[in-house]
Amino acid sequence: MEAALGLMRRIPPKHTETALSALLGLLPHYASDLLSQVDQPLQLLVLCDVDSGKEFILCEYNRDADSYRSPWSNKYHPPLEDGPHPSSELRKLEIEANEVFSIYRDQYYEGGSSSVYMWEDENEGFVACFLIKKDGSKAAYGRRGYLQEGSWDAIHVIEVGPEEEGITHYCLTSTVMLSLTTNNQSSGTFSLSGSIRRQMNMDLSIADGHLCNMGKMIEEMESKLRNSLDQVYFGKTKEMVCTLRPPAEVLQMRIPDS
């Protein structure tokens, strides 16, 4: 199991689904563990929620059997009679979270899709999953037109503990999967993909409400993840490219004219 998880961490996000399917065939007795621990690129339901007319994101957190629950109508697609649903109180928080997170996504991502799912856990608390998918290809939300293909998938899972004297423990696990491909005359063909995962634990007062606390944690975590991606992926790639193929002006400085 450890070897399988180590392998999946090194697989480019765009090949995760194929690699995971192969591992499930080789290790069927670890199927539930692999599906719960391996993050896959997010998918949008092509057919929108009929009741709301809105798209929603498909993932393991809103799936039961072969059906997926919509955060907008709270119904399963395809219909499922005995699928689990959040309690009425948690459902109200889920509705509010989807509305607020949609505004957050528009301001930070300038498009894309988002979904929030919540469910009760066994420790008298609940779990919230915040999802963002941004397709940056020319055929989707790539307004600037630099990418031939590109996607940003963000998965934030927050475990919220029971309240104790007005204080609640929050455990946030965030995963970002990035994939991009360029194909134009100036840059040529270039492909870059990878994923990064981080965790944050905080004990916060619930005076401002769970949604406010979770929002602050996600905003802080996304800022750290973007900085890490910029330094690790783009920074290191730029350093390697400039070392192997330095710009013409650098070569002229290194090699004096004879």
Side-chain angles (χ1 to χ4, degrees):
M1 183 63 187
E2 292 182 3
L5 292 176
L7 176 63
M8 292 305 302
R9 282 193 292 268
R10 292 163 175 80
I11 294 293
K14 62 182 179 181
H15 300 314
T16 297
E17 187 174 355
T18 303
L20 181 59
S21 177
L23 281 177
L24 292 175
L26 292 172
L27 305 170
H29 48 293
Y30 287 123
S32 59
D33 293 329
L34 287 170
L35 289 173
S36 62
Q37 297 186 46
V38 175
D39 292 314
Q40 302 182 60
L42 303 174
Q43 300 179 25
L44 287 175
L45 186 64
V46 178
L47 297 176
C48 298
D49 185 343
V50 177
D51 294 335
S52 65
K54 298 180 180 179
E55 296 177 327
F56 62 93
I57 296 176
L58 311 185
C59 67
E60 286 298 313
Y61 301 105
N62 70 321
R63 182 178 71 88
D64 188 32
D66 294 327
S67 297
Y68 295 86
R69 184 174 68 88
S70 167
W72 307 111
S73 65
N74 204 26
K75 295 181 179 179
Y76 280 87
H77 301 266
L80 187 67
E81 295 182 359
D82 56 348
H85 295 82
S87 63
S88 57
E89 183 178 353
L90 193 59
R91 173 59 184 161
K92 292 179 182 178
L93 183 61
E94 184 183 67
I95 293 173
E96 184 181 2
N98 274 282
E99 294 173 351
V100 172
F101 205 54
S102 179
I103 297 173
Y104 169 88
R105 180 249 308 155
D106 279 335
Q107 292 180 343
Y108 276 87
Y109 290 86
E110 299 180 358
S113 300
S114 62
S115 295
V116 181
Y117 303 104
M118 297 184 182
W119 63 95
E120 288 84 5
D121 66 4
E122 300 176 353
N123 301 319
E124 300 182 358
F126 66 92
V127 182
C129 178
F130 294 77
L131 308 171
I132 292 179
K133 182 174 184 64
K134 175 67 180 288
D135 186 349
S137 63
K138 290 183 177 180
Y141 296 101
R143 299 178 181 178
R144 297 172 180 82
Y146 293 137
L147 298 178
Q148 184 71 19
E149 297 179 2
S151 65
W152 173 287
D153 296 330
I155 304 172
H156 304 283
V157 180
I158 304 181
E159 300 174 46
V160 182
E163 177 189 350
E164 295 183 4
E165 299 181 355
I167 302 296
T168 297
H169 179 74
Y170 298 86
C171 178
L172 168 63
T173 303
S174 297
T175 303
V176 167
M177 289 172 280
L178 173 68
S179 178
L180 58 88
T181 301
T182 64
N183 185 14
N184 54 54
Q185 186 175 1
S186 60
S187 64
T189 301
F190 178 79
S191 180
L192 177 67
S193 62
S195 63
I196 187 171
R197 174 182 287 189
R198 294 291 184 268
Q199 192 172 82
M200 175 191 299
N201 289 275
M202 298 184 73
D203 293 315
L204 301 172
S205 169
I206 62 170
D208 294 330
H210 289 303
L211 189 56
C212 182
N213 291 338
M214 292 188 292
K216 290 178 179 178
M217 292 180 68
I218 291 175
E219 187 175 22
E220 180 181 347
M221 177 64 82
E222 286 214 327
S223 177
K224 292 180 178 178
L225 290 175
R226 279 191 291 268
N227 289 335
S228 296
L229 285 169
D230 182 54
Q231 295 171 7
V232 175
Y233 290 110
F234 296 104
K236 290 295 183 182
T237 300
K238 183 178 180 180
E239 181 181 347
M240 291 176 61
V241 170
C242 290
T243 301
L244 296 173
R245 303 183 64 180
E249 56 270 18
V250 176
L251 286 175
Q252 292 177 0
M253 294 176 61
R254 292 180 181 177
I255 304 175
D257 295 334
S258 57

